[in-house]
Amino acid sequence: MSLIHASAAQLLTQLESGEITSVELTKACLAQIEGADKQVGSFLRVMTDSALEQAESVDARRKKGEKLGLLAGVPVAIKDLLCTKGEVTTCASKMLENFVPPYDATVISKLKAADAVLIGKTNMDEFAMGGSTENSALGKTRNPWNLDCVPGGSSGGAAACLAASMAPLSIGTDTGGSIRQPASFCGVVGMKPTYGLVSRYGLIAFASSLDQIGPMARTAEDTALLLEAIAGYDPHDSTSANVRIPAYSQSVKQPLKGLRLGIVKEHFGEGLDSEVDAAVQEAIKVYKSLGATVTDISLPHSKYGIAVYYIIAPSEASSNLARFDGAHYGHRCDEAKMLEQLAKERAELEAKGDEEELKKLDTSLVRMYRQSRAEGFGPEVKRRIMLGTYTLSAGYYDAYYLKALKVRRLISNDYETAFKNVDLLIGPTAPTPSFAAGTKTDDPLAMYLGDLFTVTANLAGVGGISIPCGFSKSGMPIGVQLQGPPLAEERLLQAAHMYQTATDWHERRPELS
Amino acid sequence: MSLSQNDVKKVSLLARLLLTEEELTTMTGQMSDIVGYVEQLGELDTTDVEPMAHAVEQFNVFAADEVAPSLPRDEALANAPKRDDECFRVPAVLGE
């Protein structure tokens, strides 16, 4: 198998035996990026020089017989919302186009400690808001299986670079399905770990109670390897779980005996594409053939997940994104022009004698904030800030935000009840396969409904994984989702690996000209 | 519930966003659609349900009370759109 198609586990074996060097591997990935990324657009920036330096350093240390980290010499792509010291980190926004963080996110520090080669920063929906990567202000990413289709979102670049064999491992983030849905659309594996398992320190926050960083790869085994490298307690993150991290890369191959799967009946109704339905039903049969038992389970409040999510996530976003004010970092409007415009508005109102409107006129500082933010943020980000500001405002807080928090509890209770009877839940990752670019951009609600099967895991804080389970007639990948109780990542990975030993969907690659 | 353009204009000030007339019109329609959709939560009786703000319910997580080096001033100011040697620069706020 060529270097770019091999799994990270295979590559590590070859690196350790001296069959290949990290420099050779990194160069192969860089060459694939050079060739294929003009079409796919996965990367916002390729860190060629620093990646080669890291690879050379790992090779030299390996030669000396030094003890190396878990990912020694293996390239990893990073979603561009993890602060990386000295590297531009943009969140795919004009707001942060020139932002250079003065520190590393904990996940970046952990990857460096694991001796991974950081190969580049991947494209995403601006501030991780979206389901198609069409909200990036800095470039388009296309689905490697069909360049007219979207890669999913918001970790669209992170998923597409794996499918197009540009890197064996990739880091994404998932606030409502942003790892699992693009993994499903691009035919790769993506895991949203239990909330708190991976530190969020240095992640540019969107909705803090839902955001979670997670591993993406082409196999469950590689996903386990990457999760092991990035998980763990971090005193810099007060929501970080202080638990022992299992050796996922070792346990992933242990088959699960007597696995009890629950089929969420609410996930198989109206709105589910028939081809997705058929592919997931086939996946369930595979599990049965491997000895799993299957029972019907109900998550009765799951149908409210989108409504709850689109109150909570924008509310948290409106607060988190208040820090982008054009004063401390990020985009600032042209001040001279702004002041000139403001003076003009004042003069017009004075000439009209409109005292009431004059009182409402922005001060220059407020206008600087408003205009900088208007120029720096794209339409989806503005929409969510507006929604969150509205639902948190006086008079509406109880009706929207507090109500959503209560329904969130009911959703979480549903999971707790379900996991008393089964080990994992199984169902579709997304209601449809990838769709043509541009088809949902004017209808935000239609786009939001694509998160129907994924958001509830974020609301409850449980873990979920998407694995490739088939293709539509038009050749687009389909994903099956497994969800587990809190901190059951070992079980999720083992179940995913079990499926991949019996199927070959994950071995298929798109043909790029 | 349907939002008026005036409601959306008020929210845009609270949100510190300056919207064009066209954006206000589009935003009013889209926000009304979304707010209308989320109102389905009204179907549920949640009288005795405890709100859940976070999946990890931790309270009073304190950092150790230890002196640690802070970010050097130059690094803290490095990304500022406007600065002098010591401070962030913003438009004048006094005397307006």
Side-chain angles (χ1 to χ4, degrees):
Chain A
M1 189 178 271
S2 74
L3 288 185
I4 57 166
H5 295 309
S7 72
Q10 290 164 336
L11 291 167
L12 276 168
T13 310
Q14 288 176 289
L15 284 163
E16 279 154 17
S17 69
E19 201 181 318
I20 60 166
T21 65
S22 177
V23 169
E24 284 165 359
L25 170 59
T26 305
K27 280 185 176 169
C29 289
L30 290 169
Q32 177 70 357
I33 294 170
E34 173 75 25
D37 213 36
K38 285 185 196 78
Q39 299 172 71
V40 178
S42 305
F43 285 91
L44 289 174
R45 275 171 317 291
V46 183
M47 291 148 62
T48 308
D49 294 343
S50 63
L52 286 170
E53 275 170 31
Q54 288 163 38
E56 276 168 20
S57 159
V58 172
D59 285 341
R61 287 167 53 213
R62 200 186 300 271
K63 216 169 173 180
K64 279 193 222 159
E66 283 183 29
K67 186 171 165 32
L68 298 172
L70 193 64
L71 303 174
V74 177
V76 183
I78 310 292
K79 189 173 176 179
D80 201 24
L81 83 175
L82 284 172
C83 288
T84 311
K85 191 174 180 176
E87 288 288 342
V88 175
T89 299
T90 69
C91 261
S93 179
K94 281 186 188 159
M95 182 57 89
L96 288 177
E97 206 168 358
N98 301 307
F99 175 62
V100 182
Y103 70 110
D104 277 330
T106 296
V107 163
I108 299 291
S109 305
K110 280 181 171 278
L111 289 171
K112 286 180 178 174
D115 294 314
V117 172
L118 307 185
I119 201 157
K121 304 297 278 293
T122 56
N123 199 14
M124 54 186 278
D125 283 297
E126 184 178 4
F127 285 101
M129 298 179 192
S132 64
T133 311
E134 290 167 289
N135 296 323
S136 168
L138 304 180
K140 282 193 171 73
T141 301
R142 298 169 187 282
N143 193 311
W145 291 93
N146 179 342
L147 298 172
D148 292 329
C149 289
V150 299
S154 64
S155 307
C161 77
L162 292 171
S165 305
M166 297 176 200
L169 299 172
S170 173
I171 296 284
T173 66
D174 192 314
T175 306
S178 283
I179 285 176
R180 291 159 289 159
Q181 182 256 27
S184 172
F185 280 14
C186 291
V188 299
V189 182
M191 176 181 238
K192 181 207 102 68
T194 301
Y195 186 87
L197 188 65
V198 178
S199 165
R200 290 179 300 109
Y201 179 73
L203 159 75
I204 297 172
F206 155 22
S208 311
S209 83
L210 306 167
D211 294 339
Q212 189 56 195
I213 303 168
M216 303 181 78
R218 291 186 291 253
T219 66
E221 193 183 354
D222 284 2
T223 309
L225 192 65
L226 188 51
L227 180 65
E228 190 175 323
I230 62 172
Y233 176 67
D234 178 12
H236 287 121
D237 175 357
S238 65
T239 59
S240 170
N242 199 350
V243 293
R244 186 190 66 85
I245 302 303
Y248 300 116
S249 61
Q250 304 301 310
S251 59
V252 64
K253 289 184 176 173
Q254 291 166 10
L256 288 165
K257 283 183 188 143
L259 176 66
R260 298 172 305 158
L261 291 176
I263 299 178
V264 184
K265 63 178 186 185
E266 288 83 3
H267 289 183
F268 290 88
E270 199 186 336
L272 180 63
D273 177 275
S274 59
E275 291 182 296
V276 174
D277 190 357
V280 174
Q281 298 293 357
E282 279 304 312
I284 293 169
K285 280 186 198 161
V286 170
Y287 272 109
K288 280 184 184 166
S289 74
L290 294 170
T293 57
V294 173
T295 47
D296 281 340
I297 284 289
S298 177
L299 297 178
H301 298 96
S302 61
K303 66 173 177 172
Y304 299 106
I306 297 286
V308 172
Y309 178 83
Y310 279 97
I311 294 173
I312 293 176
S315 295
E316 294 187 15
S318 72
S319 168
N320 274 326
L321 272 64
R323 71 190 61 170
F324 301 104
D325 56 6
H328 305 96
Y329 46 81
H331 173 78
R332 182 186 294 195
C333 63
D334 181 330
E335 232 169 289
K337 275 191 189 161
M338 180 273 290
L339 291 170
E340 198 180 312
Q341 171 65 23
L342 197 58
K344 197 176 144 199
E345 287 174 33
R346 184 170 292 121
E348 280 171 8
L349 290 170
E350 279 169 352
K352 273 202 275 179
D354 192 338
E355 289 296 322
E356 205 172 312
E357 283 301 310
L358 257 175
K359 271 189 224 158
K360 286 189 207 162
L361 195 65
D362 295 335
T363 62
S364 49
L365 183 65
V366 168
R367 178 59 64 91
M368 189 273 279
Y369 292 153
R370 295 184 76 188
Q371 195 159 327
S372 299
R373 286 161 63 79
E375 291 171 3
F377 293 136
E380 182 61 32
V381 176
K382 287 182 195 172
R383 189 156 44 235
R384 297 204 195 188
I385 291 173
M386 290 285 291
L387 262 173
T389 306
Y390 176 72
T391 52
L392 288 179
S393 60
Y396 297 109
Y397 178 91
D398 284 4
Y400 295 110
Y401 186 65
L402 191 63
K403 182 80 181 179
L405 295 189
K406 289 182 170 195
V407 183
R408 182 180 188 177
R409 171 80 59 195
L410 298 176
I411 289 170
S412 179
N413 291 348
D414 285 352
Y415 273 107
E416 220 174 288
T417 307
F419 289 128
K420 282 180 185 154
N421 300 310
V422 295
D423 299 316
L424 300 173
L425 300 175
I426 188 166
T429 306
T432 66
S434 170
F435 46 86
T439 46
K440 293 188 187 179
T441 41
D442 292 331
D443 188 353
L445 198 51
M447 188 78 87
Y448 296 170
L449 291 170
D451 298 335
L452 193 61
F453 307 139
T454 48
V455 285
T456 47
N458 301 75
L459 292 168
V462 303
I465 190 167
S466 178
I467 33 179
C469 72
F471 287 85
S472 67
K473 286 193 190 79
S474 59
M476 298 310 287
I478 294 170
V480 59
Q481 178 181 221
L482 299 170
Q483 296 179 80
L487 300 171
E489 275 66 25
E490 215 167 12
R491 198 186 303 163
L492 279 169
L493 290 162
Q494 286 167 338
H497 178 72
M498 241 168 94
Y499 180 77
Q500 292 196 325
T501 57
T503 58
D504 66 354
W505 304 112
H506 60 288
E507 287 170 9
R508 305 191 189 188
R509 300 281 179 273
E511 277 176 33
L512 284 160
S513 55
Chain B
M1 180 177 159
S2 180
L3 279 82
S4 71
Q5 200 149 318
N6 210 27
D7 293 331
V8 177
K9 209 171 177 176
K10 279 184 197 161
V11 175
S12 76
L13 174 59
L14 289 172
R16 295 289 186 260
L17 283 168
L18 191 67
L19 302 182
T20 63
E21 286 301 316
E22 196 187 338
E23 281 177 316
L24 271 176
T25 308
T26 312
M27 194 75 83
T28 304
Q30 291 176 339
M31 282 177 71
S32 292
D33 283 353
I34 298 164
V35 169
Y37 176 80
V38 303
E39 280 179 351
Q40 62 176 290
L41 298 183
E43 294 168 15
L44 291 167
D45 178 4
T46 52
T47 320
D48 296 322
V49 180
E50 193 191 343
M52 177 179 168
H54 221 274
V56 178
E57 303 201 34
Q58 296 193 44
F59 299 95
N60 298 337
V61 180
F62 295 115
D65 187 15
E66 286 165 6
V67 178
S70 64
L71 202 59
R73 189 193 298 265
D74 250 1
E75 283 185 40
L77 291 169
N79 282 290
K82 277 194 176 176
R83 58 174 285 194
D84 60 17
D85 286 343
E86 294 187 319
C87 299
F88 296 102
R89 291 183 71 100
V90 293
V93 288
L94 298 175
E96 283 200 12

